[in-house]
Amino acid sequence: MSARLERAVLAAAAHEYLRAGWPVAPGAWWSPQLQRYRCGRPRCRTSSPHAVDPGTGAGDRCIATVAQCVVTSPIEVDRWWTGHPYALLMPTSTGPGVVDGTEDVINTMDERLRADGYLAPISSSKVGQAQLFCQQLRPSQELWLAAAGAGVLLHGEDSWVTLPPSTVRTGQVRWLRSPQECGWRLPPAAVVSAALRVALTFRARPVITGLPG
C-alpha cells in the first residue's frame, strides 16, 4: 500500500468513527524502517505509542493525553491525515469501553454475549490477543483486579486503545467483527462484566489432561 493510500484509508476510518460518535485522536504510527513510533514532530523523543500534541511545542516529548487531542470535525480529520499516517487512538473515558485479553477469554465472552442476544465488535493486533468493545466500562475494583490477575486489561476511565486500521509494532489492527456488522450498537457494560466473570471462572478451572491409572 502506498503512503498516500494508507493516509486516505486512515482518514476514511477516522471520518466514519466521527460520524458514529466514537472519539478519535491522532497518534504516533509505527515505522518499520526505523523500528520505532513516529509522530511527525522532529524533536519528539517519545518512542512508544502516544497522542500527538496539536501544537508544534518546544519540548522534546508530546505530553498531551489522548482525550485532549480528540478531533471534533471532518476538517480536522482531513488536516491531520493529509501529511502523516497517524494511528487512530480512542479515549475509553468518553468512548466505548474495551476488554483486552487473550483469545480464549474474549471468545468465551463472545459466546455468552451472543447467547444473550448481543453482538460486540472485536478487534485484534496480534495472534492470540483480541479486544471486545462495549458501552462505557466502569468496572468494580474486585472485577478489575480479577481481570488483571488473568492478564486481561479493562479500558475505561483514563485509558485508551488503538483502532483499526492503524499499524502498531505487532502489525495492523484489524476488525474480527466490525462495528458496522453490529450496526454500531454496543452491548451494555453490565452484561459484558457478567460475561467476563464467566470467562474468568471458566479459565480458572483446572485442566484435566488424563485419567488416573
Side-chain angles (χ1 to χ4, degrees):
M1 183 187 300
S2 69
R4 183 175 181 179
L5 179 57
E6 182 182 14
R7 293 194 301 269
V9 169
L10 288 163
H15 278 296
E16 190 163 20
Y17 293 134
L18 191 65
R19 287 193 297 269
W22 287 27
V24 177
W29 69 93
W30 175 254
S31 170
Q33 293 79 18
L34 299 178
Q35 287 293 294
R36 59 162 288 173
Y37 284 93
R38 298 180 57 201
C39 70
R41 291 182 57 185
R43 297 184 59 188
C44 183
R45 297 174 57 193
T46 305
S47 59
S48 57
H50 63 278
V52 182
D53 280 336
T56 55
D60 59 359
R61 293 186 183 278
C62 291
I63 59 173
T65 66
V66 173
Q68 290 172 328
C69 298
V70 168
V71 295
T72 58
S73 71
I75 294 175
E76 284 186 84
V77 170
D78 292 336
R79 184 170 68 245
W80 275 105
W81 278 273
T82 294
H84 296 295
Y86 292 110
L88 304 169
L89 308 184
M90 182 189 72
T92 50
S93 54
T94 55
V98 177
V99 179
D100 187 344
T102 55
E103 281 185 353
D104 62 327
V105 169
I106 299 301
N107 287 340
T108 301
M109 291 180 63
D110 187 46
E111 290 175 8
R112 177 63 183 264
L113 290 171
R114 286 188 287 112
D116 290 339
Y118 296 99
L119 204 59
I122 299 176
S123 69
S124 179
S125 62
K126 81 177 194 181
V127 176
Q129 200 78 10
Q131 299 80 40
L132 185 146
F133 290 66
C134 62
Q135 293 179 17
Q136 287 189 13
L137 199 57
R138 300 291 185 268
S140 65
Q141 185 176 25
E142 168 267 324
L143 181 58
W144 192 91
L145 289 173
V152 178
L153 296 177
L154 303 183
H155 295 280
E157 196 167 0
D158 298 325
S159 189
W160 57 272
V161 295
T162 305
L163 295 174
S166 308
T167 298
V168 296
R169 183 180 58 81
T170 53
Q172 186 178 53
V173 187
R174 67 194 189 284
W175 288 115
L176 303 181
R177 181 188 297 128
S178 70
Q180 293 92 332
E181 293 178 71
C182 304
W184 293 95
R185 292 185 295 271
L186 299 170
V191 176
V192 169
S193 294
L196 175 59
R197 288 189 174 91
V198 170
L200 294 177
T201 301
F202 182 80
R203 195 170 190 266
R205 291 175 183 170
V207 177
I208 301 175
T209 57
L211 297 176

